[in-house]
Every structure is written in structure tokens, then in C-alpha cells.
Amino acid sequence: MFAHVRPAAARLRPLNLSLICFKPRFNSTGIGSQLGPRRAVVYNENGNPAEVARVVSSTDPVLLRDEDVLVRFLAAPINPSDLNVIEGKYPMRPEPIHEFGASSDGPGIFVGGHEGVAVVVKTGPLVDGPPTKPERRFRVGDWVLMRKPQTGTWTNWKVVPMRELRRIDRTKKTESKVTEAFAATLMVNSLTSLGLMTDISPIPGWHSYILQNGANSAVGQAIIQTAKQMGIKTINFVRDRPDYPQLKQYLMDLGADHVFTYDELLDRSFKKTFESLRTPPVKACRHAFNCIGGPTVAAMAALLDKNGHLISYGGMSKQPIILPVGLQIFKNLTAHGYWHSHTWEMIGQKEQDNRIARMVAWKELGRWKDPEHEELVLKGDDEEATGILREGLKRVQEGNIRKKVLIKWASPKDS
Amino acid sequence: MFAHVRPAAARLRPLNLSLICFKPRFNSTGIGSQLGPRRAVVYNENGNPAEVARVVSSTDPVLLRDEDVLVRFLAAPINPSDLNVIEGKYPMRPEPIHEFGASSDGPGIFVGGHEGVAVVVKTGPLVDGPPTKPERRFRVGDWVLMRKPQTGTWTNWKVVPMRELRRIDRTKKTESKVTEAFAATLMVNSLTSLGLMTDISPIPGWHSYILQNGANSAVGQAIIQTAKQMGIKTINFVRDRPDYPQLKQYLMDLGADHVFTYDELLDRSFKKTFESLRTPPVKACRHAFNCIGGPTVAAMAALLDKNGHLISYGGMSKQPIILPVGLQIFKNLTAHGYWHSHTWEMIGQKEQDNRIARMVAWKELGRWKDPEHEELVLKGDDEEATGILREGLKRVQEGNIRKKVLIKWASPKDS
């Protein structure tokens, strides 16, 4: 199912020739020197990402079938869940592949990365032909995202069946405000925010308040921006820190209505402060988002109106949720979890496309800021690139990077 | 709204004579010496039940209107929530009344008790007349429950508008298996069990398992019996105690499928034990009921299959619910509260009647055991009766009574 780039050995298997009318075989030099050898971040088994992940290269020829698309990755983020996948702690894992030197009769290897943005470099003859389903047509230069989860986006280029791609319809390519950083991080962080407000317990929009802890997390920032677009007010909580005034200003600039520290939230007097924020017409506050765990969760839950929803999408402190029973019984508080990857699959491709189009529209209108990010450019031979990679992974693992780290690949001549 | 027994002072207000065609006034001696003076457990203000509640008597005359019913209480339980109401810790409270010596221009007093079973002694002329709505006809000797919450059931007799009464349709009155203890405790404990299995996240019945802590509580015992009637298997957890073997046997006799101690539940090896209990055909275990709080909650939640529901209806340990975030996110565990009194109002009177009829049918078929109970007979003058009452309240407050305590009133000649 997963071997859309077939290794040499796989080609020995019988193929369904009725489906394969055109199958040019090429290697990197056949596409033009700008692509160079195929490269990827791989790991053989689960473990500490900064120890088990490495960069490998391959010059094996690959097939481009009738309905395949050759894409070059522009940027792919390192998300915390990507690290959990490599650690084997995430309840989803990629399929092993038998490329990049992994023998076809062995267990295979895994390529890291769940999301990323790529550009179309070459298409099979049925991809760019007369349109039957316009959404299935891809042209050189189109920007694309991966429809399937965990397909290994930490790679410089790959061949993908067109049905597994989704184009980002930038209105005017040269003037588009859609950036690589925006597109590369759209699927996980940005769309989690829209899912949180839509899927479990839809928030009615105007006249609603959201509470959230970890408001400076990547999803937290996306929640602030999405809420602003939807006319929902946010009351945001973050850990106190030396640069708190700057962080608060940054979140306010993103669109936060209020920002407080956990110390303020946990203070007895906060209930009064909170009530003073709610201005007429009477605003409902029925949703709290938790990505931290620990004492701030109960404090937020206690502020919710009757019939509230506490929705956890992360537990960065590794502390559990602690809830007084009375909040559940007498205030009818419901506590749910939200697992974006899972819910995303459930909503179906049409709704997925709608949500992506909605976000892209906000971006094109200049209403959405890129996540703060830095590039991790993998260059040099495999050993040098592996060193750069592991250094980057380590920094993400250590946390405390407010910026999103994006993997990029040096072009062959820079490499 | 609440003054269905009007005090002398209230009769001075103008009455809608078109509605009141027949209004015999009587006092206790008018009804027959078997009723005696009206008596009730009352309190003037919230506080420790064993200190603020007292027995009072009244010989003031009362009105029996066209659509009123005079009922004599057979038994009314002391539930933990009744104590919380007196303490002022329960988010529902009775309306104050101006009887039993409380002056009509003062703040009034409260009569304790939420549920209980009474027998019809006398009816107004439109109650027993030609039937229009059969469910509204009451005859002398009928057993009735109160439709309205917190109406003050800790009283020996009272006049109630017939629309506030609900008859228990015992099939053959003389041979009925419906006991006073069953009927008096039906509304709170027994019907909570049916609500838990029906209202928040309905349990599909056959091939389902329920986990519950506090299985020896009154509701816990009702859950065991209701589940058995519905073909749902129960795995029950209780605190270890000197008479654990007897308690376990008692719960098994009620219909429990399995009983374990919290120590067993909290042991690492329990996961294996649990899996060994689930026999083919594959049984889903998606519901855990919590009335305790504390560490057993997370342990039960961890045993649930994906998409499970943790439903709290009590917090007897006064400890909160503690849940790992991962259970919520990756196993899609939803944690709800269940407040029976509130949900009961929401389901409407028809469904209420259906559920009561269903329970009564189980009882008539000999499939439902009475709760273990003891009678607290209030007798003697008000001072003596108050002493008996407070002693009983104290024992319930101290907990550790497995038996339900039922308030009964001595007949005038025994008193």
C-alpha cells in the first residue's frame, strides 16, 4: 500500500499492465541536476530521535507511472508528535519501506515526517491530461500537501500517486501570501485549531469565549488566530517567564483578547477578574482547551459556565487532568480528548478540503500570521547532514523553542 | 407555587372560586384518629442535619380542594443528598413553607425529604370522579410517589394536588411484591441506575460490561440489579474490609458478575485478570461508573475500550477525578457527570412513568431485591421524636451504614 516509490527489487513482481500505460524510469540526473540524489531522514527502529534518525541518500532509479507526480519538498516541520512517532510512543506509525538501502526481504526502514509542503516537478501523462476531476489535475509548479498520514515528508523529493496529493489553491501564484512556513504547518497545528472549535463540541462563534492553557504553543497560537477569524474571544494562559511581557504582546498581536499567567489563573481572586472581562451582551464561556495537564486544568474548568466542555489535545507537563467531581455532576462539565489525526480522517476528504480552503483564504487575505519558525537546512554528505539533523532534533526535544523548526534540503550544488 | 397545604393565614388571600367548588376543611381528628396531628421533620436554616433538624407537630386545620389528595406516608428514606440539602451544599433546595408554626410573614421553614411512598387516605371530589385521564385518578388505598422534587417527604401526612402525585400500579394489591422499602427508594437510587445506563451514553445491553466502584453503595447495588435485568455484565469494585467475603457474596446474590477489592484493581496484574473475564463473543467494555473519586477512577478508565465513557455520579471520598491525558486523546475517553435529579426532569413525565413501570414490573416478577434497610420510627412527643431523628441522621452522616434508613411515623396511639 505504501510503496508508491517502488525499489528495484519490487519491480520484479508482476505488475498490472492494464493500469500502467506509461512508466518512464528515471534517476535523479534524468530529472535535471537541480534535484540530485534522493535523500531522506530515516530510522530503522524506534528510539531517541536524536540517536536513531539519520540522513541517507539513494541514486536507485524510480518509476513515474501514469498517475504519479514527482514532487520536491519545500519545507516539512518537526512536530512534537513526529518525535513521539520515532520514539514509538505515538499510537500511529508509518509503514516500513524497502528503499534507501533497506533490503526487500528485511524489515524495511521508516521515513520521518507527517506533513510538509512540496512543489510539483513532473507529472505522469494521465495527471496533466484532459480534466475529468479538476481537483485531480496537477501541473508543474503547483504546491501540494499529502493526503495520507505519516507518509514520510522528511525527504527532498519523491514520487507520489496523484490521489494522495492535495493542491493548495493559491489564487495568484506570484502574488500569493501563502508562504512555505504556512503551508508546511497547515495540516497539524493550524487545522487542529479549527477541529477543536468544530468537531467535538462546536463553538457557536460570536458571544463565545474560549479559555486555553499553553497559549504560546504552536496550536495555542493557531487557536488565537482561528478564534479571531471566527469571532470567538480567547482568554489565554501561559507560564510566567522572564520575557512574559514580550510574549503577551506577541499573543495580543496575533489576536488574543486577554493573556494571563498561570499564577494569576490559580489565584483566588481570578474568578472576579474573569467575570469583569465578560462584557454585555452576555457571553457564554463553555470551552476550555488543555494541552498541559496539571493544576491549571481544574482552574480553567471551574470558570466555565454550566454544560461546559474541557477538551484536551495535549499533556505537555505529563501531569494528568484533575477534576472535582462536583464540576462534572452539578455543572455538567464534559471532559473530552481531541486527537486531530484521528478526527481528521473521520471528517472525510471533502470537509478536509473545505477547511484547508478556508484557512488558505484567511492567509491570502492577510489575516493569518506565519508561525514563528527557523529553517534546518540539511546539507553536505550524509554524515554532515545527519549531524545537522540530530542537533535540530535535540533542540526540539529539549522544548522551550517557541519557533517551529522546518526541515529543508540544500540543492545539490549547495550540498 | 409550593404551598399545596395552605396555612390559616394564606386562606385570607382571595381564592379563585371558579376552581374551588369543594373545599372541605378538616383537622386530624376529622380524618379519623389514625392520622393524628400533622408532623414533619423541619429546619429553619442550613446546618449540620443532626443539629438543625427537628420534629414538629401541628393541629392547624387544612383544606382539601377539589383536585387534592390526602396521603399518609408509609416510608421515606434518608439519602446522602437529603443531608446535603439541609447542609446547603446541594444545588437544589426546597421552597420554604409557612406551616408548622412558621409565621406567614417570616422566612418560613423547610421540610426535609425528597422521595418516599405514601398511601391515599382521602380524595377531593374531582379526583375520584369520572375518569378523563385515567392516570390522574386516585383511589383510597393507592400507593403514590411525589412527582415534584424536594417536596418534603419527611412528614406523616399531607394534602397534595393530584397532578403532583404518581400512582405505583401494583398489579394485585394484596399479592403485590412491591414493598414499602422498594417504593420509598425507587425514585433516587433505583432510577439513578436506569438513568446511568440510558441517558448519557446508552449501553447497548447484551455483550457489554460495566465497571463500577462503590459497588456496595445504594446506587451501586441498584446498578448491579438493573444491569442484570438488561443483560449487561458488571465488574464491581469495593473497599477491602473485615466482612469483605460476606459483602462479595451479597453483591453476587444481587446479580454481580464479578467483585474485586480496590487493592486488586490497583494491582498491576489486574489488566490480565480483567481480560481473562471477558469471554467470547467479544464483549465491549465502554462504561465505568464512579461514585468515589480518587485513584480507582483512573484505574477503571484505563481498562475501558476505545471510545469509553467514565460517568461520575458521586464523589464519596471527596477526592477528585484524576485522568491521564493520553486516555482522553488516544483512547477517546469522555468523562461526564450524571446528576439524576436534573436529568430526571429533562426526560419528561411520560418517560419517567415508563421507567417507573419498568422497575415495578421487575419487582412484581420477583427479580429485584429490596435494599437492605432499617426503620427509624419517629414516636413520642416532639422532643422524643427529635432525639430519635437526630440519632438516626447522625448514623447516616457517619457513613458506613450499608443499610438504607427509612423514616416512618408511629401511629397516634403508639406515639
Side-chain angles (χ1 to χ4, degrees), chain A residues 64-97:
Chain A
L64 183 74
R65 292 148 192 267
D66 290 3
E67 299 196 348
D68 281 349
V69 180
L70 173 69
V71 304
R72 178 172 66 83
F73 275 88
L74 300 170
I78 302 174
N79 288 318
S81 57
D82 292 321
L83 303 182
N84 296 150
V85 170
I86 300 175
E87 289 162 349
K89 291 179 183 167
Y90 195 77
M92 244 185 204
R93 48 183 289 171
E95 300 276 330
I97 61 169

Side-chain angles (χ1 to χ4, degrees), chain A residues 313 321-323 328-329 335 337, chain B residues 313 321-323 328-329 335-337:
Chain A
Y313 66 92
I321 298 163
I322 301 170
L323 288 177
Q328 291 234 292
I329 299 176
Chain B
Y313 65 92
I321 298 163
I322 300 171
L323 287 177
Q328 291 234 290
I329 299 176
H336 319 255

Side-chain angles (χ1 to χ4, degrees), chain B residues 176-197:
Chain B
S176 174
K177 290 191 175 119
V178 174
T179 59
E180 291 178 5
F182 170 83
T185 59
L186 182 56
M187 296 290 281
V188 174
N189 294 325
S190 304
L191 286 165
T192 292
S193 70
L194 200 50
L196 279 166
M197 288 177 221

